[in-house]
Amino acid sequence: MSQNILITGAAGYIGGSVLAELASRRNGLIKTLNISAAVRSEEQAQSLSKLGVNVVRVDLRDEAAISEVILHNEIDIVVHTASSRDPSLITHIIKALGRRREVSGKETYFIHSSVATVFSEDGGWPFGEVRDTDPIFAKEKEIEGGHPVRETNILVTEEAKARGVTSFIIAVPVVYGRGTGEWRKVSANIPAYIRTSIAHKVVYKFDVDGHPPAVHISDLVAFYALLIEKILQKENIPKGEDGYYFVIAHRAPWWAIMQRLAEALYARGLVDEPKTQIWPSYDVAAESLGFPRVYMKAIGTSSGQLVAVNAYRLGWQPKWDEERFLDSMDDEVQSVLELDTVKPSLFDPVSTS
Ligand SMILES: NC(=O)c1ccc[n+]([C@@H]2O[C@H](COP(=O)([O-])OP(=O)(O)OC[C@H]3O[C@@H](n4cnc5c(N)ncnc54)[C@H](OP(=O)(O)O)[C@@H]3O)[C@@H](O)[C@H]2O)c1
C-alpha cells in the first residue's frame, strides 16, 4: 500500500531540494509515495504546483490547520525542514502524527532537520568529540542553558515517544551548492558572506579560523532519500533516542574558503583586492551578515569534533569532498548573482505558543 509523505518548508532551500529529489525519483519505493508539500504563501504554492505534488498552504504555527493537513491527507511520514528551533511547530506536527497513527493503526514517522553546530564547543557542547552513535539524547539533556535547537531536539524525541511516533534527528552541517527547489535556491551561510563581501567590496574573515563540518546539498538530499527508503523498507535502523544522524561529508575550512572567495570575487571585479581582511568586530560581522549576534561565534569560527557513523552505516556515499568544495567557490558566487532573490527567514523570531 502506498504511503503519504509531507515535506514542511518545501519552499525553502533544503525542503525544496528534498522535494525535487523525491518527486523526480523513478526507482525504488520512493516513487510509490504520495507527496504533499507545505508552503506559506500563495506565490510559493503556485511556483511548486508544476511539480505535480499536492501543495498545501499552511502556517505551521496554526495547530488546527496542520492537524487538518495531516489527517485529511493521511500523512504517514513528515520531513520537517521549516524550523530547527521552534518547538511549537514540532508539537503540533507530532501530535497530529500520533492521532493519524491511532486512526490508521499504521506507524508514523517524523524526520527532523536540526543543526550540527550545537555539537561544537561554541555551540554549547561541553563533551568534546561526539559520535552520532553516542548516547546523545541523554547528553543533550544534561546540558544546561536552554539552547533553542537543543531544546527542540529533546522535545522531538520525547514528544514522539509519548505519541508513539518514530523520530529521527538529522544534524545538518554547513550546506552549500545550488538548491534544486522551486523557490529559495541558495543556502544561508556562504551566500551571506558573498552578499556582504560584494556590498563592502572586501572579503572579511574572523580572527580565528574554523573547520566546521559541511555537506553539498545534493549529498544531503541523497541522505534524506536514503533514510526515507529505509523507512519504507521497514529496516531496523537507529531511531528515537538513538536516531541521530550527522550528515557530514567533509570540513569547511573558513580561512581557505574566504581566500578562494576573495580571488573569485576579485576576478569578477566585485571586490577591491584578491585577499581577505579581519572583521573589525563580531558585532559588525553579525550586523553585516544578518546573523543573530548570539550565534555569530558559533556560525563563524566553530569547528567541533563530530564523527558521523550512522549515515555511512546506512550506505550513504557523499560525492563532494573538501577539494571539490573549495574549487567550487566561483559557482557559489554565480549562484548568488543569479538566484539570491528570496529574503531568508531562518532567523526570524520563533513563536511563543
Ligand atoms: N542551510 C543550511 O546551511 C543549514 C545548516 C544547518 C541547519 N539548517 C536547518 O535546516 C532547516 C532548513 O534550512 P533551509 O536553509 O532550507 O532554510 P530556509 O530556506 O529558510 O527554509 C525554511 C522554510 O520553512 C518555512 N517556514 C518557516 N516557518 C514556517 C512556518 N511557521 N510555517 C510554514 N512554513 C514555515 C519558510 O517559509 P518562508 O519561505 O515563507 O519564509 C521557508 O520556506 C532549518 O531549520 C535550518 O536551521 C540549515
Side-chain angles (χ1 to χ4, degrees):
M1 198 166 51
S2 68
Q3 305 233 50
N4 306 321
I5 191 167
L6 172 73
I7 300 166
T8 71
Y13 171 64
I14 295 175
S17 302
V18 171
L19 172 62
E21 174 70 17
L22 299 187
S24 66
R25 276 285 169 117
R26 296 282 168 264
N27 52 25
L29 286 172
I30 285 178
K31 77 169 189 305
T32 67
L33 282 171
N34 300 311
I35 304 173
S36 294
V39 299
R40 267 205 284 215
S41 76
E42 185 51 38
E43 259 183 304
Q44 293 170 340
Q46 277 180 13
S47 161
L48 267 64
S49 62
K50 65 171 85 85
L51 292 172
V53 301
N54 175 38
V55 183
V56 289
R57 256 190 80 188
V58 60
D59 189 328
L60 301 168
R61 287 171 294 196
D62 182 340
E63 179 168 6
I66 185 63
S67 179
E68 166 66 17
V69 166
I70 288 179
L71 295 174
H72 177 76
N73 294 289
E74 303 185 339
I75 299 298
D76 309 298
I77 305 170
V78 171
V79 176
H80 182 56
T81 73
S83 173
S84 53
R85 62 195 180 97
D86 189 337
S88 72
L89 313 186
I90 309 280
T91 314
H92 300 160
I93 298 168
I94 294 180
K95 258 193 194 169
L97 279 175
R99 276 201 293 281
R100 163 75 186 145
R101 189 185 68 88
E102 282 165 16
V103 173
S104 68
K106 285 165 49 179
E107 274 207 61
T108 52
Y109 303 88
F110 183 78
I111 301 172
H112 179 57
S113 310
S114 185
V115 183
T117 318
V118 297
F119 300 104
S120 69
E121 200 179 334
D122 284 321
W125 182 255
F127 304 111
E129 183 183 289
V130 53
R131 294 172 177 264
D132 49 11
T133 46
D134 290 345
I136 295 183
F137 173 71
K139 289 189 169 192
E140 288 212 277
K141 288 194 72 162
E142 271 180 49
I143 300 170
E144 288 173 8
H147 192 297
V149 169
R150 200 181 311 290
E151 298 290 308
T152 306
N153 286 351
I154 293 167
L155 180 85
V156 166
T157 309
E158 290 185 337
E159 189 75 18
K161 189 175 178 188
R163 308 266 171 194
V165 174
T166 304
S167 64
F168 306 91
I169 292 180
I170 301 185
V172 180
V174 172
V175 192
Y176 61 93
R178 188 176 282 227
T180 49
E182 293 299 320
W183 193 253
R184 186 173 293 115
K185 292 177 193 288
V186 298
S187 190
N189 205 318
I190 291 172
Y193 290 111
I194 295 172
R195 219 179 282 135
T196 307
S197 301
I198 294 172
H200 290 261
K201 298 208 97 202
V202 174
V203 177
Y204 287 109
K205 66 181 182 185
F206 290 98
D207 52 347
V208 178
D209 197 4
H211 295 72
V215 68
H216 189 271
I217 184 71
S218 60
D219 286 328
L220 177 64
V221 159
F223 176 74
Y224 278 87
L226 179 65
L227 181 64
I228 293 164
E229 196 72 42
K230 299 286 178 194
I231 291 172
L232 296 175
Q233 287 164 351
K234 303 222 172 301
E235 272 194 36
N236 188 15
I237 58 173
K239 54 182 181 286
E241 291 184 13
D242 299 322
Y244 285 81
Y245 293 83
F246 293 170
V247 186
I248 298 173
H250 57 83
R251 295 273 161 178
W254 281 133
W255 280 10
I257 291 166
M258 295 309 157
Q259 181 53 38
R260 296 288 186 104
L261 280 181
E263 288 160 18
L265 288 164
Y266 181 74
R268 288 168 178 264
L270 295 169
V271 295
D272 289 336
E273 48 182 15
K275 55 184 189 177
T276 59
Q277 292 183 26
I278 303 285
W279 280 108
S281 72
Y282 283 77
D283 290 341
V284 171
E287 174 71 29
S288 305
L289 292 161
F291 294 143
R293 176 65 184 88
V294 62
Y295 302 136
M296 194 61 261
K297 239 176 142 9
I299 293 173
T301 67
S302 74
S303 295
Q305 302 171 58
L306 294 83
V307 183
V309 179
N310 281 330
Y312 290 94
R313 280 192 183 154
L314 251 54
W316 183 55
Q317 293 180 320
K319 295 188 171 60
W320 283 71
D321 58 20
E322 189 172 310
E323 192 183 344
R324 192 172 170 197
F325 171 45
L326 285 171
D327 286 344
S328 73
M329 278 315 132
D330 191 60
D331 298 339
E332 290 290 318
V333 173
Q334 184 59 32
S335 294
V336 169
L337 295 176
E338 256 178 63
L339 303 168
D340 192 19
T341 52
V342 185
K343 189 181 168 293
S345 61
L346 215 52
F347 293 111
D348 286 357
V350 298
S351 50
T352 48
S353 60

